[in-house]
Amino acid sequence: MGGNPLDRDSIGGLVQGFPPLLECYLSLEDQLQPNGFDLTLRNVDRLVSPGSVGAGQIQRELSNSETLAFDGDGWVQLQSGPYLITFSEIINLSLDIMALGRPRSSLLRSGVSIHTAVWDAGYRGRSQALLVVHNPCGYRVQRGARMVQLVFFRLPRPASQGYQGRFLGENL
């Protein structure tokens, strides 16, 4: 039956395929989950300008950001507020696979949320998400930490056209 989430064995097989579903992962054993794959932290950026979205593509402007430095042990201390995070893994979705991302529960239990969009069939790139520290005491994150579980869905039939947007091939 099409449209169902993929399980660990299905995801693992696709990771070993060509092109691989995911590249540049840190540990297949640690990141491959019963119902998804954990994406790890590569970079954290602070937003430093406003963005905008209008009715057309030309009226869409992303916020500028600056990358925060990790300390010698790979940690960065975050104050309350929004941050743009970049994942380590490169995702290669075929035309019959799409994905949704959900934050790991340990983040939520500490007052940190992650907001993601849909990974459309045909997408390829190193994705980003919005991390929001709601905890007034802040939060520390370490490079390579598992942040989001990506859940993959096989479509009932391949998309007639894969993702063609401006983020195709991002951060490669």
Side-chain angles (χ1 to χ4, degrees):
M1 175 191 265
N4 289 326
L6 299 182
D7 66 358
R8 176 185 177 94
D9 293 337
S10 299
I11 296 166
L14 292 170
V15 168
Q16 301 300 323
F18 185 81
L21 179 63
L22 294 132
E23 301 175 70
C24 300
Y25 50 85
L26 303 179
S27 169
L28 186 60
E29 180 63 29
D30 290 339
Q31 291 175 253
L32 187 57
Q33 300 300 318
N35 300 109
F37 195 93
D38 289 341
L39 300 182
T40 61
L41 182 66
R42 181 178 189 189
N43 290 326
V44 179
D45 287 28
R46 177 187 350 260
L47 302 173
V48 296
S49 74
S52 63
V53 65
Q57 291 281 23
I58 198 157
Q59 290 90 18
R60 183 172 46 161
E61 183 177 342
L62 300 178
S63 300
N64 292 322
S65 63
E66 61 183 28
T67 301
L68 301 179
F70 292 99
D71 68 17
D73 294 324
W75 290 89
V76 63
Q77 176 70 41
L78 304 176
Q79 302 306 311
S80 292
Y83 298 88
L84 183 65
I85 60 172
T86 304
F87 300 114
S88 304
E89 296 74 21
I90 295 171
I91 300 165
N92 300 298
L93 296 179
S94 60
L95 292 177
D96 65 340
I97 303 276
M98 57 93 48
L100 298 172
R102 301 300 303 156
R104 293 192 31 111
S105 63
S106 54
L107 293 165
L108 298 173
R109 294 165 195 255
S110 294
V112 178
S113 61
I114 296 182
H115 303 273
T116 65
V118 172
W119 278 264
D120 284 317
Y123 170 83
R124 179 174 195 278
R126 184 174 273 128
S127 300
Q128 295 180 307
L130 178 68
L131 179 145
V132 181
V133 177
H134 303 280
N135 186 329
C137 300
Y139 195 70
R140 286 185 347 128
V141 293
Q142 188 176 35
R143 181 184 291 123
R146 294 179 291 147
M147 306 294 284
V148 165
Q149 184 172 341
L150 202 56
V151 179
F152 299 93
F153 297 86
R154 188 168 305 277
L155 302 174
R157 63 184 162 278
S160 61
Q161 178 179 328
Y163 178 75
Q164 300 293 311
R166 74 191 281 186
F167 302 115
L168 186 63
E170 68 181 322
N171 301 308
L172 297 179

